[in-house]
Structure formats: structure tokens, C-alpha cells
Amino acid sequence: MTETASRKASQQELEEMVAETETGARNPTGAISKNILFYVPLIWTLFQLWYASPLPFIFNFAVFNSTEARAIHLAFAIFLSYTAYPTFKSSPRNHIPIQDWIVALVGAFCAAYLFIFYAELSERPGDPTQLDLVVAVIGLILLLEATRRALGPPLMVVATVFIIYTFFGSYMPSVIAHKGASLSKGMSHYWLSTEGVFGVALGVSTGMVFMFVLFGALLESAGAGNYFIRSAFAGLGHLRGGPAKAAVVSSGLTGLVSGSSIANVVTTGTFTIPLMKKVGFKAEKAGAVEVACSTNGQLMPPVMGAAAFLMVEYVGISYIEVIKHAFLPAIISYVALVYIVHLEACKMGLRGMEKPVTKTMTQKLLAFVMTFLFMIIMGGITYYGIGWIKTVAGEATIYIVSILLLAAYLVLLAFACKVPELDSSHEIKELPALGPTAQAGYFFLLPIVVLMWCLVVERLSPSLSAFWATVLLMFILVTQRPLKGLFRKAKGDEFTFKRGFKDLIDGYVAGARNMIGIGVATSAAGIVVGTVTLTGIGLVMTEFVEFISGGNLMLILLFTAIISLILGMGLPTTANYIVVSTLMAPVIVSLGAKAGLIVPLIAVHLFVFYFGILADDTPPVGLAAFAAAGISGGDPIRTGIQGFAYDIRTAILPFIFIFNNELLIIGVANWLHLLIVIASAVVAMMIFGAATQGFWLTKNRIWETVVLLLVAFTLLRPGFWWDMVFPPLKQEAPNKIEQMVEGMEAGSQLIVEVQGEDLNGNPYTKTVMLKVGNESTGNERLAGIGLETRSDEGKIIIDNVVFASAAEKAGIDFDQEILNVQVPNKRLPKQLMFIPALVLAGLIWFVQRGRRTKMEAAA
């Protein structure tokens, strides 16, 4: 077999692996089956576009509420699970057997039952008929089987265990026993309400995730994936170990296109891994670099996979807040990976790809400054220009902005046509020039700009923001080919509206098929959430985890990380996040508060999210490692182990930001403070990378590695040492709470320690943090938080807690006693610890530089 034929066969195997895990492994040849797997996903996409758009409300037609939309969404997902995925590996793939048709239709009916009989069900909540129960039982069984087909046995097994726990709680060990639920109560909860299968997770999949997955699929169909990869190579391929650095950046960019680490490996790995091997990386290391950066693709805002949208609902903050908190850890993780790749290249003495045009340092600096200034000027013109248009034009703004967008698109497309079309083959034989490569696809950035504008400036919902960005992307898909033919004065099928429309429809179908696994995963994970709300196992988990950990927060975090990694070996990231965050997030927050540590809920959810992602390259199951090994020809287990070694920096970050919330941009006072946080975190992660790789300027000695780890820890968490000498908070008497709150700046955090009794009469204390509003008096600010207090024999008692207020969400309850109010202590800034840390790092650098100079002289 020739090398080309072997490469094609390997590529086909990889595409089949992605199909098995992402879009369905069945590819029928019969006209009816083939059309079903084409038109059903297409109809699903059209339904989701209608649901996300403002059109139903404009025309007052086909307006679906959230529950109805979830039922239709799940009906499509279950139907496609049975038709697109074979029952077993040995089952036919070239046609859909009759039994699959039957169960697909029955499963779709059971899922759509809430939509079909919505009015009747709303009239008898908690009082199901016999038909309701039959449909619920069959639906639940068929959902479990659909989950097994689309995602494998693990999630099905986890969901089944929770169902068994619900109905047979009285037979469980005493530590987790409960009275058990009747069939009527359990099925009503799981299937006939929005507490179980049709709960928050499926609602997020229906309302937000689908539109972002579709947005990514359309970007890929338009050619943006290839553009991002080649732009990364053009910019970084000439550096030492350049293809590996390009792999990191391109995987971060294609995280916009794909929320799947496996698909990311296959998409970018076919370019990057052969080139990494060509410049000197071993097969396992080349695969491991691709695995590490592809799994991290889900960390990168603004898309971040489906879990980011679930955080919006579970944490109760806006999507912009999620992006803000997730941004810095993702960036420093990627910077550290680029640096680790650089160190690997230095260790092996590698060079980059040959650059076609070499510029002087002056030319490079001038180009960088001009590009930076151009971006600032264009950003300013866009922001203030649209702001001025909104002021002047009012409701006509949307039409004016649409015309301006069209003009920008035409100009950028004409600009792109002045350079050759980008090569779309799966190999890069020589380094492309950066200028022409970037120029060929600037217009792909317009939908991303629209997405971010709608999210950040207009503050539209994530779903509506993705809808408007997708509308622009749809227009680009249909028109880019004929317009390129016009600008290039070329003719042929490639430059027709028909070809553009085909690209659009293919993107629609790909987007829906990418959603099959997410749709059933969020539904099946809803079983776990429903079990927690029905049985109260969340309280049991708190007591159980507190018992086995002895109340030690670090042990709880380790326990949570291990659970996430183990479950993540078989569960997709989304389902893993739902299961672990539902069970463990309240436990960590509660036990952290008892230990006197304020752990923001978003920090815990990001902690679980990070370790769920890391499971994709954790041996022995990490599918991303198997995909990378399929391209590199290396051993998949060794590839996974090496990939996890590269990802240690990602594993350490969640432990750091739990204790140092500044990394999540929480408690950052001003821009200077933010710059210090960013700079120290980036330097720390680079030093950590040097320590874990055992190489900086030269090979580390053991004591140098230990010192570098100490320096990295100090830069990431300076308060650990500083707090030992200077306590960060001082306690004030609780009767001063009103005057303390009145004197605080709006938006700052009020920290109080409260004491109460649990349901068993056991006393407890915990510390809570509450955001202060901008009301004028202390009493009004407490009311804004949701608190009313009274004095009782010298004690300050919580007299009232407003429903759904910040105080209630923080766990404050009636009749708790406020023990003290904690306010910041006046002390020197903890960042002074950076000075000795950087001095130590400088010492190591100086020693290694001297050793390297001697080695070079001897050579």
C-alpha cells in the first residue's frame, strides 16, 4: 500500500471514530434511509432557528414555550439516536433495520408526549393517568437505550443506578437510605415535569447549545476551520518547534468551530501531527501535544462547549460573567502549553519550518505596531460609531448597521480575492506566508464580531446572539462563492449560488447531527438532577463527604477531581459536568464555608468543568489520545500519559483559583490590579511548565525544580504566605453591621459569619459573602441583599430572608445568629511576595545560564 493510500485509509478510520462518538456511525445506502438521516436533522435545525429567532413573536405564530420546545428537541434527538447509531458494532450500518424504525418512532412519541398533551398534563400535575405512566416508563427506558447507543454504556449505567436508588431507597445502606418513591411519584418527577429529564440541562441544550453548535458547524462548512489552522501555521510555523506551537493556537481557534476534543484532534491533527513528526517530535509526543491543546479547546471562551451554558443556569449568572471568569485561566493555560512546546523543542534542539520571506526586526516591529493600532482604531470606530448611530437613528439602527455590515463583508471579500484561495488539502508541505493567508479569510471574523457584540455590548441572550451571528454566517455561506467568482472573474460550479446553498444545507445537517449526543446526554443527566431533588441525596452527600474527608477542603477537592476524571472516562464532558456539579458543588461551597473559606459557586463549577475535560486524555480510555495515536502511529496509552503530563498545568489551575479567586477576576479592584494578576499568572505558569518539564535554559537539577515549583506557587497564590503573617480580615461586632454596610463601596463584598442549627438540631457555623448594592443607607442595603435583622439579648438574629434574594441563595436562613462581620484588614499588599519569588527565579536563571554557557563552550 502506498503512503498516500495508507494516509487516506487512516483518515477514513479517524472520520469513522468521530462519527461513532459524535454524529452517528450509520451511513445507509438506501434512498429512504439516507433521506431520513438528511431531512430529519435539517428539519430539526430549521425548528431550532425558528425557536431562537424573534419571528414567532413578530408573526404570533408557532410560539413554543420552554417545556414544549424541550419535548420537541428531545424527540428529534431520540429519533436520530436510533436511526443514526447502530445497536451494536456488529449491527448493519448500510441500512436501518425495521426494529430501529419502530423504537425510534415510539421514543420520539414518548418524548413529544409533553408537547402533544401539554394542556391536559398541565391540568393534572402530580396526578398521572395510566397512559401517562406507561408513556413515562417506556420513554425512560428508550432514553437510556438511546444514551447507550449515542454515548456508550457509562452514562446509561450512572442514570440507571440513580433510578434504582430512587425507587429502592428503603433497601439502601442506612447512611444513604430514604423511604423510596412510588412509581407514580417517580415517573411524574422524571418524565412528566421539568424536574427530571425535561429539566434545566435539556432546556439549556434546547435554548442555547444548539445555536452555538450550529454556528460552529456553519463556520466549518464555510471554510473557517481551514483558515484558522493555516493562519496559525503561517504565524508560528517558522519558530522553534513551530508546528507544535501552531497546533496549540489552531486548536484554540477551532474551539470556536468544534466543542468536541475528539473532533478537534482529527480536524487539526491531520495537519499538525505529521508536521510535528517532520521537524523531529516523536510520534507519542506529537500526538500528546495535539491531545493537550485539543482538550483545552473547550476551555476557550466564548463557546467553551455546552457546559458553559449550563453554568449560566446552575450558577445563576449571565453568560458574559461566565466568559469573564473563565477567560484568564484559559489564556494562561494556553500560554503555558505554547511554552512547554517551546521547551520540548529546545530540549531536542529542533528548528521551525523554513520561512518563505524573512523580515528584519524593524519590519516585524513596525508591522506589529501598525496592526495593533489598526485594531484599536477600528474597535473605537465600531464601538463609538454604532453608539452614535443608535443615538441618532433610534429604531432604524438595525437597518443602517446591516448595510454597514454588508459593505464591510463586500470590502473584506474583495480584499480576500486579491490573494490566491487557501489550499484545503490535509497537509502543509511548505510554510504559507502570513499576510496573504490572513488576508484570505478576514471576512470569517465578521460573524464572530457580531456574536461578541450582541453578547457583550447589546447584552442579548446567548441564544439570540448566536442566532444573529448565524444569520450573517448563513448569508456569507450562500453568497461567498458567487461573489468570489465575480471578483476573481472566474466561472464554474464552484462559484454558483447552488454550491453555496449546498454548503449551507450541509452545515445545517452537520450541526443537528452533532447535537444528537448532547441532546440525549443532557436528558439522561437530568435523571441524576431529578434524583437529587426528589430524594434529598444532596444533603446526604454533604454529610458523607464531610465524614470521609474530615472536613478538609483540599481532600474534598481531590475527591471531586478523581470522581470527575473517572466518570469523564466514559461520560461526555457535558454529562460529566452535570452529574458531578449537581452532587459535589454544593458540598464544596458548604464545607468551605464551615472552614471559613468563601468559595464562589462559579469557581467550583469551573473546577468540575476542567477535570471533566481532562478526562478526554486520561488513560486508559481517553478517546482523544486514541484519535491522535491513529494519526501519529504512536502508542495510544503512551500518548495519553504524555498528554496528561502536558496537561498537569491545567489540572493545577482549578486548585489554585479555588483559593485565589483573582485568577477568575473576582475581587480585582482596578486595571492595574488586573494587569498584575495577568502578568504574575502567565509568568507563574511558564515557570511551572519549566519545572514539570525538567528543563529551563538547560536540564534542571532536582533542587532547581523544587525551587521553580515554589516560585510558581508563590506567584499564583501569594496570599498563602502573606496571610500567615498578616491576616486578611478582621472581625467586627455584629451590631455594627448596618454602619459597616453603609460605609462600603457599591459592588464590594460583605462577609459575615453566621451560626445556626441543621434539620437534626446540630449546631454549625459558616461564612458567607454577599454583594453590596448602591442603596443610600445601611438598612436599605441590607434589604437589597435580602436581610432583615433584630437584636435579641445582645445577639443579632436574622429576622427575615427575602425569597430568591442573594441572602437566600447564599444559604442564610431565619433565626441564624450573626457572630461577626469580617472586613478587610489594613496591611501591605500580598503581591510583595512576588519580589522574593522573582529573585529566586532570577537566581535559577543565572545559574542555568552559566551552566549552559559552559556546555556550549565544551561542545
Side-chain angles (χ1 to χ4, degrees):
M1 185 183 287
T2 64
E3 184 181 345
T4 303
S6 175
R7 191 182 297 119
K8 285 182 179 178
S10 175
Q11 180 64 26
Q12 186 176 355
E13 289 173 6
L14 290 166
E15 287 173 356
E16 287 177 2
M17 176 187 283
V18 174
E20 285 182 13
T21 56
E22 303 293 336
T23 61
R26 189 172 274 152
N27 188 18
T29 53
I32 295 176
S33 299
K34 198 167 188 176
N35 285 335
I36 286 292
L37 289 183
F38 179 83
Y39 287 107
V40 171
L42 177 60
I43 294 168
W44 189 10
T45 296
L46 294 175
F47 162 74
Q48 293 288 164
L49 282 168
W50 176 264
Y51 178 64
S53 76
L55 296 177
F57 302 99
I58 293 173
F59 296 107
N60 196 26
F61 172 74
V63 179
F64 301 102
N65 63 35
S66 175
T67 304
E68 292 172 322
R70 293 176 196 186
I72 297 171
H73 181 86
L74 182 57
F76 276 112
I78 288 182
F79 181 85
L80 289 171
S81 295
Y82 282 103
T83 51
Y85 290 86
T87 311
F88 304 106
K89 288 189 176 181
S90 58
S91 300
R93 299 189 178 201
N94 59 356
H95 73 276
I96 303 173
I98 185 66
Q99 65 270 18
D100 283 358
W101 282 112
I102 293 170
V103 291
L105 290 169
V106 173
F109 170 76
C110 292
Y113 189 76
L114 266 73
F115 167 69
I116 298 169
F117 299 102
Y118 180 78
E120 291 85 345
L121 288 168
S122 63
E123 292 174 358
R124 54 173 189 267
D127 184 25
T129 64
Q130 188 172 2
L131 177 61
D132 294 343
L133 293 177
V134 170
V135 168
V137 171
I138 294 173
L140 206 57
I141 293 170
L142 292 183
L143 172 61
L144 292 173
E145 168 58 13
T147 303
R148 185 196 66 80
R149 289 194 183 201
L151 305 167
L155 180 56
M156 181 204 72
V157 171
V158 170
T160 303
V161 167
F162 277 84
I163 292 172
I164 292 170
Y165 175 74
T166 296
F167 292 112
F168 298 96
S170 58
Y171 301 100
M172 296 293 160
S174 58
V175 69
I176 59 170
H178 66 101
K179 67 177 182 179
S182 65
L183 181 66
S184 174
K185 185 177 181 181
M187 287 302 111
S188 294
H189 196 80
Y190 282 134
W191 200 264
L192 303 174
S193 73
T194 55
E195 294 294 325
V197 169
F198 297 93
V200 170
L202 183 60
V204 171
S205 176
T206 307
M208 299 186 204
V209 178
F210 193 104
M211 287 308 302
F212 278 84
V213 170
L214 177 62
F215 179 73
L218 292 178
L219 268 177
E220 178 64 31
S221 186
N226 181 54
Y227 170 68
F228 291 146
I229 292 168
R230 292 184 182 274
S231 296
F233 269 95
L236 300 171
H238 66 285
L239 301 174
R240 191 186 288 263
K245 292 174 182 174
V248 178
V249 174
S250 60
S251 290
L253 291 172
T254 51
L256 278 169
V257 177
S258 168
S260 162
S261 54
I262 302 166
N264 208 335
V265 166
V266 174
T267 303
T268 60
T270 50
F271 292 88
T272 60
I273 292 175
L275 285 170
M276 281 190 266
K277 291 174 68 178
K278 189 176 179 180
V279 298
F281 278 84
K282 293 180 181 178
E284 283 79 12
K285 287 196 172 184
V289 169
E290 182 58 48
V291 167
C293 50
S294 291
T295 51
N296 278 200
Q298 291 185 66
L299 301 177
M300 203 68 186
V303 178
M304 292 176 62
F309 306 104
L310 289 161
M311 285 182 209
V312 172
E313 298 296 326
Y314 289 159
V315 182
I317 60 177
S318 69
Y319 187 57
I320 297 301
E321 290 289 308
V322 173
I323 291 176
K324 184 184 84 171
H325 297 315
F327 182 74
L328 183 54
I331 289 295
I332 61 178
S333 181
Y334 263 104
V335 168
L337 185 55
V338 170
Y339 190 62
I340 286 171
V341 164
H342 175 74
L343 294 174
E344 284 282 17
C346 290
K347 279 194 281 185
M348 293 183 279
L350 304 182
R351 298 289 174 190
M353 299 173 72
E354 187 175 344
K355 200 171 184 180
V357 179
T358 304
K359 293 182 179 179
T360 65
M361 181 57 70
T362 304
Q363 289 174 320
K364 291 178 183 178
L365 187 62
L366 181 63
F368 174 78
V369 171
M370 292 302 292
T371 303
F372 186 69
L373 287 175
F374 176 77
M375 290 174 65
I376 291 176
I377 292 168
M378 290 306 297
I381 290 173
T382 303
Y383 183 81
Y384 292 106
I386 293 180
W388 177 79
I389 292 171
K390 287 172 70 175
T391 304
V392 174
E395 293 183 0
T397 301
I398 183 66
Y399 305 106
I400 297 172
V401 170
S402 298
I403 293 169
L404 291 174
L405 265 176
L406 176 62
Y409 167 56
L410 293 173
V411 168
L412 290 175
L413 193 62
F415 190 52
C417 289
K418 293 184 182 296
V419 297
E421 195 71 25
L422 292 178
D423 182 13
S424 59
S425 64
H426 282 283
E427 53 184 328
I428 299 176
K429 295 180 180 178
E430 59 182 31
L431 189 68
L434 177 58
T437 303
Q439 183 177 334
Y442 282 135
F443 63 93
F444 286 130
L445 302 178
L446 285 175
I448 300 170
V449 170
V450 169
L451 174 65
M452 295 308 299
W453 178 272
C454 291
L455 281 170
V456 177
V457 180
E458 298 297 331
R459 295 299 178 107
L460 300 181
S461 69
S463 177
L464 194 55
S465 299
F467 171 78
W468 289 119
T470 301
V471 167
L472 176 57
L473 191 49
M474 288 158 54
F475 179 77
I476 290 173
L477 263 166
V478 173
T479 60
Q480 66 168 331
R481 289 182 180 275
L483 286 174
K484 281 181 177 179
L486 179 66
F487 290 134
R488 294 186 187 276
K489 297 180 180 177
K491 293 183 179 180
D493 290 341
E494 186 182 347
F495 301 105
T496 61
F497 279 107
K498 182 179 178 181
R499 180 66 185 276
F501 190 72
K502 181 181 182 300
D503 290 341
L504 175 65
I505 299 301
D506 288 345
Y508 279 173
V509 174
R513 293 193 67 164
N514 287 340
M515 275 300 300
I516 300 171
I518 295 174
V520 294
T522 50
S523 305
I527 294 172
V528 177
V529 179
T531 301
V532 172
T533 57
L534 181 61
T535 64
I537 192 178
L539 295 173
V540 175
M541 281 295 296
T542 303
E543 294 176 1
F544 179 67
V545 172
E546 184 176 17
F547 172 74
I548 64 171
S549 67
N552 186 296
L553 184 59
M554 183 56 75
L555 286 178
I556 297 168
L557 292 172
L558 284 170
F559 183 60
T560 305
I562 292 168
I563 289 176
S564 296
L565 288 174
I566 292 172
L567 288 177
M569 289 181 190
L571 270 61
T573 303
T574 307
N576 185 17
Y577 165 74
I578 295 170
V579 172
V580 181
S581 65
T582 300
L583 292 173
M584 298 304 298
V587 177
I588 294 172
V589 173
S590 173
L591 298 184
K594 287 186 179 181
L597 177 69
I598 301 298
V599 182
L601 193 55
I602 182 64
V604 181
H605 281 260
L606 283 172
F607 182 95
V608 173
F609 179 48
Y610 267 58
F611 280 99
I613 288 171
L614 287 174
D616 278 343
D617 68 356
T618 304
V621 183
L623 293 177
F626 278 83
I631 301 171
S632 70
D635 179 82
I637 300 298
R638 289 182 183 174
T639 301
I641 293 171
Q642 184 65 61
F644 191 78
Y646 290 148
D647 267 340
I648 289 175
R649 79 207 187 285
T650 307
I652 205 73
L653 263 178
F655 287 98
I656 297 296
F657 63 57
I658 286 287
F659 295 97
N660 181 9
N661 302 155
E662 289 179 355
L663 292 179
L664 302 179
I665 317 183
I666 296 174
V668 175
N670 49 52
W671 279 103
L672 177 61
H673 190 178
L674 177 62
L675 290 174
I676 292 172
V677 169
I678 293 172
S680 61
V682 168
V683 172
M685 289 307 290
M686 292 172 73
I687 290 174
F688 182 80
T692 54
Q693 291 305 302
F695 187 95
W696 197 9
L697 300 182
T698 185
K699 186 177 180 180
N700 295 346
R701 289 173 177 159
I702 293 176
W703 71 269
E704 291 173 337
T705 295
V706 172
V707 171
L708 288 175
L709 287 172
L710 183 66
V711 169
F713 176 76
T714 303
L715 291 175
L716 287 169
R717 198 185 164 199
F720 180 80
W721 312 107
W722 205 243
D723 293 350
M724 292 181 181
V725 183
F726 306 104
L729 300 170
K730 64 178 180 178
Q731 297 181 356
E732 295 286 350
N735 58 8
K736 294 183 178 179
I737 186 168
E738 280 193 25
Q739 72 180 77
M740 299 296 299
V741 172
E742 188 171 337
M744 295 174 70
E745 290 185 14
S748 58
Q749 301 291 340
L750 169 67
I751 303 173
V752 296
E753 187 177 9
V754 296
Q755 177 179 279
E757 291 184 354
D758 60 22
L759 295 175
N760 298 321
N762 300 316
Y764 66 85
T765 61
K766 67 177 179 178
T767 307
V768 295
M769 184 164 60
L770 302 163
K771 190 173 182 179
V772 175
N774 57 3
E775 295 87 355
S776 56
T777 68
N779 190 38
E780 289 173 351
R781 287 187 170 188
L782 284 177
I785 292 169
L787 279 180
E788 290 181 18
T789 63
R790 73 175 190 273
S791 179
D792 187 357
E793 297 180 358
K795 297 178 180 179
I796 302 300
I797 307 297
I798 306 294
D799 195 39
N800 185 34
V801 179
V802 177
F803 177 73
S805 65
E808 188 196 44
K809 291 177 181 177
I812 293 180
D813 206 349
F814 298 97
D815 293 331
Q816 288 177 343
E817 179 189 353
I818 299 179
L819 297 179
N820 56 67
V821 181
Q822 299 179 15
V823 296
N825 208 356
K826 290 184 178 179
R827 59 176 189 165
L828 293 171
K830 62 184 178 182
Q831 285 77 11
L832 288 174
M833 286 301 304
F834 292 167
I835 297 173
L838 292 174
V839 168
L840 276 176
L843 176 64
I844 301 296
W845 182 86
F846 182 78
V847 169
Q848 288 202 358
R849 183 166 178 252
R851 196 159 69 244
R852 188 180 70 175
T853 303
K854 288 181 181 178
M855 290 171 64
E856 289 172 349

